[in-house]
Amino acid sequence: MNWWGMDAARWQGIWQVFTETLVRQGLNLVLAVLILLVGWWVAGRARRAAERLFERWGVDVTVRPMMGSIVLWVFRIVTLVLVLSQFGVQTASIIAILGAAGLAIGLALQGTLQNIAAGIMIVILRPFRVGDYIDAEGTAGTVREIGLFMTELTMLDGVCLHVPNNKLWGSPIINYSANPTRRLDIEVGVHQHDDIGGAITALRTLLRDDPRVLDEPAPDVMVMRYAEGAIILNVRCWIATSEFWPVRFEMNRRIKEVVEQAGCSIPLPLRELRVVETARNAAAR
């Protein structure tokens, strides 16, 4: 016997158990890593396959990214369960662990869960869809994708903007693309001494001759109010939503030409500066 009180045979048995356990756990570790890598790869493939399947079924493009994310995370959770089972963790224990972890994570990440819930509500109620231009209290852009946590927008200058779903869901949402037509209002000032009737007639002719202006509701030009040195006219018409900005820009250019051709003028704001010279200032010179 050695100084620990154990003979060589007992030491040999302990070493054998240790090496067998080490080899077994090492194999379990290698197998768990392989399961993790393969599971993560399969999850990505399953997501892409699900999105293609949804496209073949005619599922709305707004719903596809979120459904794909759900499929992705279902496969990842199953992969994690298989990895834990490699180390002898029972399924009931895994479910209990996941439940406790879910409760702890839910309390710690309330904002994240709110984003998930808001994303689900956006997909179900559809206040906007992919391709719509929206404005949620200053957060404006064209919707590119509605994800599980965030919505991706493209701003007017081409910049990509990621907005948490909860921020959009908790704000009033203006959807400029929801309706097929929009009303265009442009205010024009005409000098108070000019022929207002002639200006109105010329502007109505401009609206009538533009093929992009809809006949119903009928376009019109009316006097809105009186300003300092000018009478404000409102040029109003309905156009297709996709033509709104091109028509607005061109109308702003042509209105001035039409009004001037009718013998009227558009008064521009001017500021007159008068210098009063007193007798003291004159004497100081």
Side-chain angles (χ1 to χ4, degrees):
M1 296 183 66
N2 56 20
W3 64 282
W4 274 328
M6 293 186 295
D7 54 12
R10 190 170 183 180
W11 267 108
Q12 185 177 1
I14 294 174
W15 177 254
Q16 183 177 359
V17 172
F18 174 75
T19 54
E20 290 177 354
T21 303
L22 184 62
V23 172
R24 184 171 60 253
Q25 294 301 327
L27 292 176
N28 287 336
L29 179 61
V30 172
L31 187 57
V33 172
L34 290 176
I35 292 175
L36 184 64
L37 294 176
V38 173
W40 239 246
W41 179 79
V42 171
R45 298 281 295 184
R47 176 182 183 175
R48 289 190 289 270
E51 291 179 348
R52 288 195 296 268
L53 185 62
F54 294 148
E55 182 179 1
R56 191 177 303 116
W57 286 350
V59 178
D60 192 272
V61 66
T62 305
V63 183
R64 295 175 200 166
M66 180 170 292
M67 297 298 294
S69 297
I70 293 175
V71 172
L72 175 70
W73 282 103
V74 167
F75 273 85
R76 286 182 175 180
I77 291 174
V78 172
T79 300
L80 293 177
V81 171
L82 293 177
V83 169
L84 292 176
S85 65
Q86 284 301 119
F87 297 99
V89 181
Q90 300 298 323
T91 306
S93 301
I94 294 175
I95 295 175
I97 293 173
L98 290 177
L103 179 61
I105 294 173
L107 293 175
L109 302 176
Q110 295 183 18
T112 301
L113 295 179
Q114 289 176 356
N115 288 327
I116 295 176
I120 294 174
M121 295 303 296
I122 290 174
V123 169
I124 293 176
L125 299 180
R126 297 184 184 181
F128 54 83
R129 302 187 180 190
V130 172
D132 289 351
Y133 184 83
I134 64 172
D135 188 341
E137 293 186 340
T139 303
T142 302
V143 181
R144 290 183 57 183
E145 181 179 329
I146 302 175
L148 197 59
F149 302 98
M150 293 185 295
T151 296
E152 183 177 339
L153 304 177
T154 300
M155 303 173 67
L156 291 177
D157 55 358
V159 177
C160 181
L161 176 64
H162 290 86
V163 186
N165 290 331
N166 189 44
K167 177 177 175 59
L168 292 178
W169 184 248
S171 304
I173 301 174
I174 302 175
N175 190 338
Y176 291 96
S177 305
N179 296 328
T181 60
R182 284 184 63 180
R183 194 181 78 183
L184 173 62
D185 290 89
I186 301 178
E187 290 191 348
V188 184
V190 178
H191 198 280
Q192 60 182 356
H193 299 302
D194 290 342
D195 181 11
I196 302 301
I200 292 177
T201 301
L203 291 173
R204 286 176 178 172
T205 303
L206 171 65
L207 295 177
R208 186 180 64 251
D209 294 342
D210 195 318
R212 295 168 297 182
V213 176
L214 302 178
D215 296 331
E216 291 293 336
D220 199 2
V221 180
M222 68 285 294
V223 176
M224 289 296 293
R225 65 181 185 275
Y226 296 95
E228 184 177 356
I231 298 176
I232 307 301
L233 305 180
N234 184 28
V235 180
R236 176 177 297 178
C237 62
W238 287 81
I239 55 178
T241 301
S242 59
E243 297 283 352
F244 181 83
W245 288 109
V247 173
R248 184 181 185 90
F249 294 148
E250 186 173 351
M251 284 292 178
N252 283 331
R253 179 183 63 83
R254 297 184 61 188
I255 282 174
K256 182 177 183 297
E257 299 175 355
V258 169
V259 170
E260 291 178 349
Q261 288 174 2
C264 302
S265 60
I266 299 177
L268 299 177
L270 300 175
R271 177 173 296 179
E272 182 177 341
L273 181 61
R274 296 184 179 182
V275 180
V276 179
E277 185 176 7
T278 63
R280 180 180 300 179
N281 292 336
R285 288 185 178 181

